[in-house]
Amino acid sequence: MSGRDLFCQPRRFGRGAALTLVFASVLVAGAATGALPREPGEGRGSASGAAPAAPAGHSEDVTRAAEEAAASGKSPMEAAERAVSRSGDRWAAVYSEGEYQEFADSLDGRYTGVGLEARSERDGRIEVTKVQSGSPAAAAGIRSGDLLRTVDGRSVDGLPVTEVVSLLRGDGEGEDASAGTTVRLGLERGTRAWTETMHRALLSTDSVTARSLPDGITVIAVAAFTKGVGDSVRTAVRQAPVGAGIVLDLRGNSGGLVTEAVAAASAFLDGGLVATYDVEGAQHALHAEAGGDTARPLVALVDGGTMSAAELLTGALQDRGRAVVVGSRTFGKGSVQMPSRLPDGSVAELTVGHYRTPSGHSVDGRGITPDLEADEGALERAETVLSGLGDASAE
């Protein structure tokens, strides 16, 4: 699993909040009212045998605990955390007001950090996989392939990537509370070991990158579904050489705004169903816009770090026969959270439903099985598949 210091969530919410939510757009939009907004086109389709939503009264129990705490002069947020821990809701989380705003800012494509992306190796060591141009890490000369051994003197070997990311970002709340604070990184490159001290900065994400391979294939990598990603994917598809195959690289994509995932699906589909979801028993549907490129060969590249909104997109392309999925089984995050504003301004989010792919496949806890398994050399396998699809389309 891999991650960048964009999508770290507070460490005390380790079970659910370390992951970007599949319905994060709903979470952000619904925070003020505590209700889910209506999705465009809902009611035009439904899933059969939808997974059950959270138990009735689940949300009310947490809200009641917070209100009772406020009335007695205690912390509503702490009371909500205790209620959530008793609920059995795997993806439930409680955010302070500042943390919630920070999460919303990250989905807008802004985050405070040093500009590193990293992954956990099989031996538990943390390897830097990308350094954002113009970031503090880039200025310090850190390169892809370097090993991150410590953060502020604490060993990160064996830690989950999400926790490492949290250390990189710092403990400040709000959009730029940690900006300007220092962080000391212990690094290794071959036989060289050294320490770099740098200042965290408010950075903008580069969630979509496109590059051409020597054989003409275009690789479109989507790191997360932040605001504007859907349009960026459509632009990258239009700019790809006519008839050339595309690899849509969703490895390590932890999700984000579901509206952006649907917009990305629209780049490859000519309308039609993308996913169905239930909210407290009511069935809804998400549809692609018409006019996507349905002709050029397409491979979706996934792994165990492909989560939530990225799984929604993968499932749509796979079920509708639009893409061959290559890689390893995805994470399996397919639940819908609804936010509730608590008396002290903090936010509790609780599971209220689940989504399914167009064929009715439930993703939550299962993930998506690729059409072709590949771990090492997954990109090369994708290129091979695309060459075959290109030959087939030419016949």
Side-chain angles (χ1 to χ4, degrees), residues 137-175:
I142 300 173
R143 301 199 305 241
S144 175
D146 290 344
L147 293 177
L148 178 62
R149 305 309 301 268
T150 63
V151 177
D152 286 332
R154 178 181 175 183
S155 172
V156 297
D157 288 357
L159 291 181
V161 171
T162 49
E163 187 165 350
V164 176
V165 167
S166 182
L167 294 173
L168 290 171
R169 290 198 57 173
D171 295 326
E173 295 186 4
E175 177 182 326

Side-chain angles (χ1 to χ4, degrees), residues 16-392:
L19 306 177
T20 306
L21 305 177
V22 64
F23 273 70
S25 57
V26 172
L27 183 151
V28 173
T33 62
L36 290 168
R38 294 179 64 83
E39 290 284 344
E42 70 176 34
R44 289 186 286 175
S46 62
S48 59
H58 182 42
S59 177
E60 289 79 0
D61 289 344
V62 174
T63 303
R64 186 182 307 112
E67 291 174 346
E68 291 175 353
S72 61
K74 298 178 181 178
S75 168
M77 183 174 173
E78 291 179 1
E81 287 177 334
R82 288 192 294 270
V84 163
S85 68
R86 295 192 298 266
S87 70
D89 187 341
R90 182 185 180 193
W91 300 113
V94 182
Y95 299 84
S96 72
E97 188 171 12
E99 289 162 344
Y100 185 72
Q101 183 60 50
E102 183 178 295
F103 181 50
D105 290 337
S106 71
L107 291 173
D108 278 339
R110 304 187 304 273
Y111 72 105
T112 299
V114 297
L116 292 181
E117 293 184 33
R119 68 182 177 196
S120 178
E121 297 296 292
R122 294 183 185 275
D123 60 5
R125 295 187 299 174
I126 303 298
E127 179 185 352
V128 175
T129 57
K130 184 178 179 181
V131 179
Q132 183 173 331
S133 177
S135 68
I142 300 173
R143 301 199 305 241
S144 175
D146 290 344
L147 293 177
L148 178 62
R149 305 309 301 268
T150 63
V151 177
D152 286 332
R154 178 181 175 183
S155 172
V156 297
D157 288 357
L159 291 181
V161 171
T162 49
E163 187 165 350
V164 176
V165 167
S166 182
L167 294 173
L168 290 171
R169 290 198 57 173
D171 295 326
E173 295 186 4
E175 177 182 326
D176 57 358
S178 295
T181 60
T182 60
V183 60
R184 189 175 74 258
L185 307 185
L187 300 135
E188 284 186 11
R189 181 184 303 158
T191 58
R192 179 191 175 202
W194 79 103
T195 300
E196 289 284 351
T197 299
M198 61 196 74
H199 291 84
R200 297 181 178 94
L202 183 62
L203 303 170
S204 296
T205 64
D206 186 12
S207 295
V208 179
T209 57
R211 61 189 176 95
S212 296
L213 301 180
D215 53 8
I217 291 172
T218 295
V219 179
I220 301 174
V222 183
F225 289 101
T226 54
K227 187 176 292 185
V229 160
D231 285 340
S232 296
V233 170
R234 282 186 279 200
T235 297
V237 172
R238 287 195 299 267
Q239 293 176 346
V242 176
I246 288 179
V247 175
L248 182 63
D249 191 350
L250 300 174
R251 292 176 296 178
N253 185 317
S254 57
L257 297 167
V258 70
T259 50
E260 297 297 339
V262 173
S266 300
F268 304 103
L269 299 171
D270 188 15
L273 188 63
V274 174
T276 57
Y277 64 99
D278 63 281
V279 176
E280 296 180 340
Q283 304 299 311
H284 311 277
L286 297 167
H287 292 80
E289 295 179 7
D293 187 330
T294 61
R296 68 170 76 237
L298 176 65
V299 167
L301 203 54
V302 300
D303 64 7
T306 304
M307 306 178 191
S308 59
E311 292 176 286
L312 181 148
L313 172 57
T314 302
L317 297 176
Q318 184 183 56
D319 280 8
R320 295 187 55 183
R322 181 60 188 92
V324 176
V325 179
V326 175
S328 52
R329 182 184 293 272
T330 63
F331 183 84
K333 168 72 169 65
S335 57
V336 183
Q337 279 71 41
M338 184 175 73
S340 296
R341 184 74 68 175
L342 304 179
D344 59 353
S346 58
V347 175
E349 61 180 36
L350 305 166
T351 300
V352 296
H354 300 78
Y355 79 81
R356 289 177 178 264
T357 66
S359 66
H361 174 73
S362 176
V363 174
D364 204 49
R366 297 179 176 90
I368 293 173
T369 302
D371 300 305
L372 293 173
E373 295 278 350
D375 188 6
E376 301 295 330
L379 180 57
E380 290 76 11
R381 185 72 182 275
E383 292 182 71
T384 302
V385 171
L386 277 178
S387 65
L389 292 175
D391 291 342

